[in-house]
Amino acid sequence: MRNSTAFILWLLIGSFGLLWVLADVNFFDAMQAGPNALGAVNGEKISNEEYQSRIQYYSNAYSQQTGNSLSAEMRANYENQAWNELVNARLINQKMDELGITVSDQEVMDMVFGENPAPIIRQNFTREDGTIDRAAIQQVLSSSEFTQQAVALELQLRDQRRQQKLNNYISAGLQVTESEVEQEFIKNNTTAQVNFIRFPYSEVTEQELEISDNALREYYENNRDRFTRDESYRFRYVTFSKLPTAADTAQIIEDVRSLRTAFAETENDSLFLARQASTTNYRSTFVEVEDIREEYQAVADLEVSEVSDVIVTGNQVAILKKEAERGDEVKFQTMSYNIQALPATIDQANERATDFEFFASEETSFQEEAESRGMEIREAFATKGNNFISGLGSSQQIMNFLESAEEGDISDVLELNSEFVVLEVVEVTPEGYRPFDEVRTQVENMVKIERRKELTQQKVQELLSQNQTLARLAEVSEKEFQTVNNLRSNATVIPGAGREPMIVGAIFSLNEGETSDVLTGNSAVFIVEVAEKREADLANLDQETRRQIRQRLEQQKLQEFSSIWLEQLREEAKIVDNRSRLLQ
């Protein structure tokens, strides 16, 4: 120790000096603060401001369209959508940078002042006579009063033009040939009259199937890719109902009843309904008395301007006012409120859920807290990538929690449509191959299906070798001889036989008058005979039809390629998602 004293002192001095320097540069504050961006795509940051702005845009649009604010579940869906759009936008922009796709100033000017202005220019600067108001455009671009608008317009035009160039670049490699157009026309317009006999696999009995354990294991080993699993979660949960109570219903009935006098006395029914936020809008039409729904028939016995007593129908409470009558017709208005939980009821449910979550997380445990409150604990299972959860329905909120949670974690209170929920993660199973014991029943069913196909095929092959005509084969096998008169070559369903695209393909590879060999379909073995084949005539392929087919094929190719291309970009990219750390 004496010999090491000097070394230890210098080590302590150096350590204190390093700590002093790190403190001066706020190193420890930075460590505690965590990541400084919501996420990143290949090193390009996604800010929380940009993310929240996108969600706010969706929220405002939803409110304008529906008049309602976002629910917690709807917000979770929009959050997921906003994140994916921001990631995809960066991936596409990065790819355009890599390809050298740029937009010159002259191109922007052409989009504004050219013979074919961009749609946004036409939308905002078109006169009543349909011409472009170029003076107004020049004013926006040159006046200091419109500087921000001019900058935003230029950015939008550049983005549109750049995206258009990318689409053109992609489309150039997805050209539809004349041969493809003609093949599509022939496929859509070639028909046949077909005779066939069908031998269902279901006719093979269980006694005929001999399947050993070794055969099951061999099939499993040879087809392991068919038994993969995504990451999955087993969890338990408790719920706190948001449904209306008897007291809520009684209060709503009383609220509607209290409006009877005012409703009867008002001279402007439309304004009254709007001010009272009636869930039934004003109607200006007369209705035949006999056409009035049964629950509202009481309106026929009212005097003009008289209001009925309260009527409760399903989930609605209403009072009716006869506004006018003529002969056997009446015009009446409905003042109604939906039966739903009142704010106080929802607040109480939320408080109970929050109280449960706090004590389950901090004081006791999920199990103990539920038992002490006499609550039912339910279990559920969820798979990554699938928002539907048995017993709870679709929920992006729940999936967001599960995908970032560990075993034993307890969620915050999650608000669903009709209830508040608190979850505890019981088990997280990573993606991979499912073990044989877990999928044994599934393997056995698959092996049985294959065995049924083999036995049916062998049986029909033997029958066909001894009976060359369909009529004779049908007689010997006691099967129905079926006919389809107008089967199209682009069909996937055979009338009387179900979905059989492979059989349809085999049929149109035969010549007229030809009988097939044994054909193995989805649900049965087939023997088919092409009685008549009506080939499409290319002479009937006019230019307009060519254009339509080409356009449809190009759109199909572009959609299929774009989806795959974007998915590949995501797989190859380094995407950092800090939402679970920054937005708690």
Side-chain angles (χ1 to χ4, degrees):
M1 287 293 290
R2 289 194 189 95
N3 294 335
S4 303
T5 300
F7 172 76
I8 294 171
L9 286 173
W10 280 112
L11 179 63
L12 290 172
I13 292 170
S15 299
F16 280 121
L18 178 61
L19 290 172
W20 193 291
V21 171
L22 293 176
D24 281 347
V25 298
N26 295 320
F27 174 80
F28 298 108
D29 290 341
M31 289 291 290
Q32 290 180 347
N36 59 4
L38 192 67
V41 180
N42 294 324
E44 183 180 351
K45 293 180 179 179
I46 297 176
S47 70
N48 186 36
E49 291 76 16
E50 184 179 8
Y51 174 72
Q52 296 297 342
S53 176
R54 183 69 62 96
I55 296 171
Q56 188 61 47
Y57 168 78
Y58 291 139
S59 177
N60 292 340
Y62 179 85
S63 297
Q64 290 174 2
Q65 291 174 4
T66 66
N68 300 318
S69 58
L70 285 180
S71 66
E73 188 59 43
M74 185 69 74
R75 180 179 176 84
N77 286 320
Y78 280 140
E79 287 173 350
N80 207 45
Q81 181 178 334
W83 171 256
N84 287 330
E85 286 182 357
L86 291 172
V87 169
N88 291 345
R90 277 162 172 72
L91 288 171
I92 292 172
N93 284 327
Q94 290 168 7
K95 193 63 178 180
M96 288 192 289
D97 291 340
E98 180 185 328
L99 295 171
I101 297 176
T102 58
V103 178
S104 67
D105 292 341
Q106 184 58 49
E107 287 178 287
V108 175
M109 294 300 292
D110 289 343
M111 295 177 74
V112 177
F113 295 107
E115 294 182 1
N116 187 26
I120 189 173
I121 298 296
R122 290 189 177 279
Q123 180 181 349
N124 292 283
F125 298 99
T126 300
R127 299 188 184 97
E128 292 184 1
D129 61 1
T131 60
I132 302 298
D133 189 346
R134 301 188 183 279
I137 298 174
Q138 190 62 46
Q139 182 182 5
V140 169
L141 295 180
S142 59
S143 173
S144 59
E145 182 182 352
F146 298 106
T147 300
Q148 291 183 340
Q149 292 91 329
V151 171
L153 178 62
E154 180 182 353
L155 290 174
Q156 189 169 356
L157 290 172
R158 286 186 182 276
D159 286 344
Q160 287 178 357
R161 179 59 179 153
R162 202 172 185 219
Q163 185 67 55
Q164 183 183 9
K165 283 187 170 184
L166 177 64
N167 291 340
N168 293 340
Y169 173 83
I170 294 173
S171 299
L174 300 173
Q175 294 298 316
V176 174
T177 65
E178 286 296 320
S179 176
E180 288 176 303
V181 172
E182 292 174 356
Q183 289 174 11
E184 182 73 5
F185 176 79
I186 290 172
K187 185 176 72 172
N188 293 342
N189 294 278
T190 295
T191 61
Q193 179 182 331
V194 181
N195 304 318
F196 67 90
I197 303 174
R198 180 173 177 271
F199 299 84
Y201 302 135
S202 58
E203 292 182 351
V204 178
T205 64
E206 285 288 329
Q207 289 73 22
E208 296 176 80
L209 301 175
E210 295 181 4
I211 301 173
S212 65
D213 189 70
N214 287 338
L216 296 179
R217 291 185 178 276
E218 181 180 0
Y219 184 89
Y220 170 79
E221 292 298 332
N222 293 336
N223 297 274
R224 290 189 71 189
D225 288 342
R226 302 180 68 174
F227 304 104
T228 57
R229 63 184 173 203
D230 294 322
E231 183 173 288
S232 59
Y233 320 93
R234 186 165 60 88
F235 62 94
R236 51 187 182 176
Y237 65 94
V238 292
T239 61
F240 302 82
S241 176
K242 291 167 51 182
L243 296 176
T245 64
D248 292 334
T249 302
Q251 182 61 56
I252 293 169
I253 292 174
E254 186 55 37
D255 289 345
V256 173
R257 179 176 284 116
S258 68
L259 295 173
R260 288 185 65 205
T261 301
F263 193 20
E265 294 176 352
T266 185
E267 296 181 358
N268 190 328
D269 293 334
S270 177
L271 183 61
F272 180 86
L273 295 178
R275 285 179 172 174
Q276 300 301 328
S278 171
T279 54
T280 304
N281 295 325
Y282 180 85
R283 292 173 297 193
S284 59
T285 58
F286 280 83
V287 182
E288 292 279 353
V289 172
E290 61 182 19
D291 292 334
I292 298 174
R293 56 192 284 192
E294 182 179 353
E295 297 92 333
Y296 289 176
Q297 279 293 326
V299 76
D301 299 326
L302 299 175
E303 300 294 333
V304 173
S305 296
E306 187 180 0
V307 175
S308 72
D309 199 356
V310 172
I311 298 171
V312 181
T313 60
N315 66 336
Q316 194 176 71
V317 177
I319 50 177
L320 313 175
K321 177 181 180 179
K322 180 184 284 188
E323 190 174 14
E325 63 181 340
R326 61 184 186 194
D328 293 333
E329 294 181 321
V330 298
K331 181 168 71 169
F332 69 96
Q333 303 305 328
T334 306
M335 168 65 222
S336 65
Y337 288 149
N338 290 336
I339 298 175
Q340 55 190 11
L342 297 177
T345 298
I346 295 175
D347 289 345
Q348 289 171 8
N350 187 23
E351 288 174 8
R352 293 198 307 273
T354 302
D355 189 58
F356 174 91
E357 185 272 327
F358 172 79
F359 283 98
S361 300
E362 304 294 337
E363 300 292 334
T364 58
S365 70
F366 192 93
Q367 180 80 31
E368 290 176 295
E369 198 60 31
E371 289 177 352
S372 68
R373 296 167 183 252
M375 301 187 68
E376 179 185 3
I377 298 178
R378 302 173 185 172
E379 285 208 358
F381 182 86
T383 303
K384 187 173 184 176
N386 183 358
N387 286 356
F388 183 80
I389 303 165
S390 180
L392 290 170
S394 294
S395 175
Q396 186 64 52
Q397 292 181 90
I398 291 177
M399 293 311 302
N400 288 346
F401 165 69
L402 293 175
E403 289 175 13
S404 61
E406 298 178 354
E407 292 179 5
D409 284 357
I410 295 176
S411 74
D412 293 333
V413 177
L414 304 177
E415 183 178 2
L416 305 185
N417 289 333
S418 61
E419 57 202 354
F420 293 101
V421 178
V422 179
L423 323 174
E424 182 185 44
V425 180
V426 176
E427 181 181 17
V428 177
T429 303
E431 64 178 350
Y433 295 112
R434 300 169 66 188
F436 174 76
D437 290 340
E438 183 180 313
V439 297
R440 182 187 178 93
T441 301
Q442 185 180 351
V443 172
E444 187 174 358
N445 290 335
M446 290 181 171
V447 172
K448 284 182 177 180
I449 290 172
E450 293 298 320
R451 185 62 179 149
R452 282 192 165 92
K453 288 183 178 181
E454 291 174 9
L455 292 175
T456 305
Q457 192 171 11
Q458 291 172 8
K459 172 187 173 183
V460 176
Q461 191 73 59
E462 184 178 345
L463 286 170
L464 184 61
S465 66
Q466 299 171 5
N467 304 276
Q468 298 298 315
T469 67
L470 250 66
R472 179 61 182 163
L473 184 61
E475 181 182 350
V476 170
S477 62
E478 298 182 345
K479 293 294 180 187
E480 181 182 359
F481 184 89
Q482 300 184 66
T483 299
V484 177
N485 289 317
N486 195 32
L487 182 68
R488 289 187 173 273
S489 62
N490 64 345
T492 57
V493 174
I494 301 175
R499 182 175 175 81
E500 293 288 355
M502 297 295 290
I503 302 300
V504 174
I507 287 171
F508 283 92
S509 67
L510 299 173
N511 296 320
E512 186 173 310
E514 187 176 358
T515 300
S516 73
D517 198 352
V518 175
L519 301 177
T520 303
N522 291 334
S523 61
V525 163
F526 291 78
I527 305 293
V528 302
E529 174 188 67
V530 179
E532 183 183 356
K533 195 172 184 179
R534 297 175 285 274
E535 295 278 358
D537 188 352
L538 288 175
N540 297 323
L541 179 56
D542 56 48
Q543 289 303 315
E544 178 59 22
T545 305
R546 280 183 183 273
R547 186 191 66 78
Q548 292 175 357
I549 293 175
R550 182 184 300 280
Q551 187 177 37
R552 186 174 70 252
L553 292 179
E554 286 176 347
Q555 289 176 348
Q556 289 175 357
K557 279 190 173 184
L558 183 60
Q559 289 174 357
E560 292 170 2
F561 177 82
S562 298
S563 177
I564 296 171
W565 178 67
L566 191 56
E567 189 60 36
Q568 287 178 339
L569 289 181
R570 291 185 73 107
E571 290 177 359
E572 295 168 1
K574 182 180 179 182
I575 300 174
V576 178
D577 185 354
N578 294 323
R579 286 179 295 167
S580 62
R581 299 169 62 186
L582 293 179
L583 301 178
Q584 293 181 353

